[in-house]
Amino acid sequence: MSQFNFQVESFEFESELESEVNRNSRDYIRWVQQSLNQIMGLKLAVDGIMGAQTRSAIRSFQQRQGLAADGIVGEKTEAALRAALGGPTPGGGAAACVGIRQPAEVLDGFAFNREQMPSTHQPAIVRIANCILASHNTAQPIRSVLIAGHTDPVGGEIYNLDLAYRRAEDVERRLRAALENIKRGSASLVTLEVDTCGEAQPVSGVNAQNRRVEIFVPVKRRPPSKCPPYIARIRLHVKILQEPTVPVPTMLAAMRQVYGSAGFLVELASTEHLNLPDLVDLDIHCPGSATATCCPFPCASANLNAEVVSLFQNRNNVGANDVVVYFVRTTSPSLAGCCAHPPGRPGAVVVQSASQWVMSHEVGHVLGLRHFTDSDRLMHPIDAFTNPPPDLVPCEVRAIDASSLSIDC
Amino acid sequence: MAVTFDQIRQLLLAFEPDYQTAARLGSQILPHLRTLVTGSDLLLASKAAYLAGLIDDDRAVELLRAAAQHLSPIVRVAAAGGLRNSKRPAAAGVLMSLLQDQDAGVRKLAIKSSAMRDNSALLAKITDISRSDPSPALRTLAGKAASEARGRRTA
């Protein structure tokens, strides 16, 4: 098992610089939109435009805070936003970081099979460089930034790993240049870590949106973890139709080895034995198909047969963001496990004769991870790892962290 | 180019094997599948049995016949499921034996696979199961399967 130590560090500005806040600037409006989304669970476009929806959201926030609901962000409303966020302020030094999206600034629309960043993203690069340098006048300077490259799914996996890396390198060069341009010698004060996710983390069915680089600039305070050293937890429910040959505690221990070292606490929320003899040998063929298997990725699918749907209805004591693992005797076709589940009922199936890693692997799929041809990684498609326990790499850690199924402690 | 045992084993060690791709290797892999079906790893044995059903060869049916007599129901279930893909007439005989298996899970998959074949003897057996199987769920499944099979015949 290899080690890595990447973490999105906690950060907040504790002192402010001398600059004035321009409440009409796009950066400021972006901060307002982002703040409203965070506080009120909205999905306002963070576009820096004070449109009708943003105004309406401001009014709602003001009403909730007992302020005059005029839809205008003045000092009082800004203070209320700051208080509700409990984090960084938009004023002074922090203003340089307003508008930088969290957890990552996304630079997409790279040309097909090209590593050069589209020039339209240059303002974002400058904004990030300004943010980094402004932070150096605070108590918690940004010392490290992660730059992760991505591709669309077209082409070979190995080629795409390299292409994504080159894209990240190109952005890293531009960010370094922007830092130097603003302040000579400043680039050496920041570690710009470059990583590749290849094609493994698509965000859209539109290929241009997948051809992207993500820049993780830690400008926001992460809520302090209540379960250190873990950053979040995965709540697991085990439902046993057939006791597996490798005992559940052994599989759970294996899963904790893999996910624990990546910062995720695996919590066994419940264990239940289900007496469902009709489902213990689970048919996972697609509905109405003689031969096609319905074990897709992404795992949530409405195209599942009645047996699978019936099994996943068994969610006693299971929360909306909890994951259920059903232990069956076999599947037909014969698989070690399958992550297919009806939408809104996250879970996976594991068969009786599965190895200790199958539960970890299938839950990895449920959390949004796809296969990868590196035999040292959990998502290797073959149950034969070169250096067990298998790894989760930074790209996968971020994907899990972003999943609604990794929850606060 | 000859496919080695290790290559087949590797293919079937996949968490979710790509059976369609593996089946394109054809009947040359049947000896390897037989080794796996008779081996000690039940998961690999069941995967090998299922894969055999996708290979259009009488020797594959013989392999499925062996899998259908395996001591472990895990492998017999895989044989019953794999037979849904076999186009060989001899597969009907193997299914007939699996329809009478003592394990309800094996019978369930055998009913599903039998329902996909246009075979009078299998249809009669499924009809019989729909009346007399000890499992109410299997009686229902068999009744539905028999009804659908008859519907296809008259259509």
Side-chain angles (χ1 to χ4, degrees), chain A residues 278 281 283 285 289-291 307 329-330 332-337 352-353 358 361-362 365 371 380-383 385, chain B residues 10 13-17 19-20 43 46-47 50 73-74 77-78 81 84-85 103 105-106 108-109 112 116 135 137:
Chain A
D278 309 335
D281 295 294
D283 185 350
H285 285 93
S289 169
T291 54
E307 281 191 26
R329 186 169 66 171
T330 67
S332 183
S334 303
L335 307 181
Q352 180 186 352
S353 43
V358 175
H361 180 92
E362 297 303 335
H365 282 315
H371 284 152
H380 186 230
I382 296 169
D383 193 356
F385 299 104
Chain B
Q10 196 74 0
L13 272 174
F15 291 97
E16 308 99 3
Y19 286 112
Q20 301 294 337
L43 186 54
S46 66
K47 288 173 176 175
Y50 188 86
I74 289 174
V77 166
R84 74 192 284 154
N85 301 308
D103 186 279
V106 176
K108 178 179 111 172
L109 269 300
K112 289 190 171 202
M116 293 180 177
S135 160

Side-chain angles (χ1 to χ4, degrees), chain A residues 132-179:
Chain A
I132 292 168
L133 293 182
S135 79
H136 288 183
N137 294 315
T138 72
Q140 289 179 286
I142 295 172
R143 296 294 185 202
S144 120
V145 170
L146 180 64
I147 304 168
H150 299 259
T151 70
D152 62 31
V154 181
E157 184 186 312
I158 303 295
Y159 181 83
N160 282 338
L161 276 174
D162 181 58
L163 176 59
Y165 193 81
R166 284 186 274 126
R167 282 178 178 158
E169 279 188 321
D170 185 63
V171 169
E172 184 249 339
R173 274 193 295 272
R174 292 168 193 266
L175 182 54
R176 193 174 293 284
L179 287 164

